[in-house]
Amino acid sequence: MIPLRAEGFDRVWSKDAGFRRIYRFITATLGLVLLTDAVLRVLVIYSYPPDQAGKSSLLSGLPLVALIALWFFPNRTLLIPRARRLLDAEMEEQTKVAVA
């Protein structure tokens, strides 16, 4: 079933601009999250004196956890279900064509 779904993904990607827009938005926002994390890590690490490197290293990871959680929730609850519906519709349409 997975290869068929991958083929369906490719078909809906080539046919539906909305589907492409969803996945591009998800990818772009994840890139923004990771870039923001990199900047925040530098700020946190350089705000501590060298003798507290362990503490700064531990604290520099906390923003990533928060950013990923903030990124994950709207994507998982709003965008991924919409993309899944588009893909499921494409799979259903292809099944009808294959049966006919």
Side-chain angles (χ1 to χ4, degrees):
M1 182 70 175
I2 297 296
L4 293 176
R5 194 144 177 100
E7 290 172 10
F9 187 96
D10 289 341
R11 280 191 310 274
V12 75
W13 179 270
S14 65
K15 290 185 345 184
D16 193 326
F19 187 80
R20 289 190 303 271
R21 195 170 26 255
I22 290 169
Y23 273 91
R24 286 180 178 148
F25 179 79
I26 290 170
T27 303
T29 54
L30 179 58
L32 184 62
V33 163
L34 295 175
L35 186 60
T36 303
D37 173 58
V39 169
L40 289 175
R41 281 179 187 261
V42 169
L43 292 175
V44 168
I45 287 173
Y46 282 107
S47 69
Y48 279 86
D51 61 330
Q52 293 185 346
K55 186 176 181 180
S56 70
S57 143
L58 178 63
L59 288 176
S60 70
L62 293 178
L64 179 62
V65 173
L67 288 169
I68 290 292
L70 289 172
W71 173 84
F72 185 79
F73 181 73
N75 284 304
R76 189 72 180 127
T77 58
L78 299 173
L79 296 175
I80 297 297
R82 189 180 319 163
R84 182 175 290 138
R85 282 191 302 273
L86 292 169
L87 180 55
D88 289 343
E90 173 63 28
M91 294 298 296
E92 187 176 316
E93 180 181 316
Q94 191 63 26
T95 303
K96 288 178 184 177
V97 169
V99 171

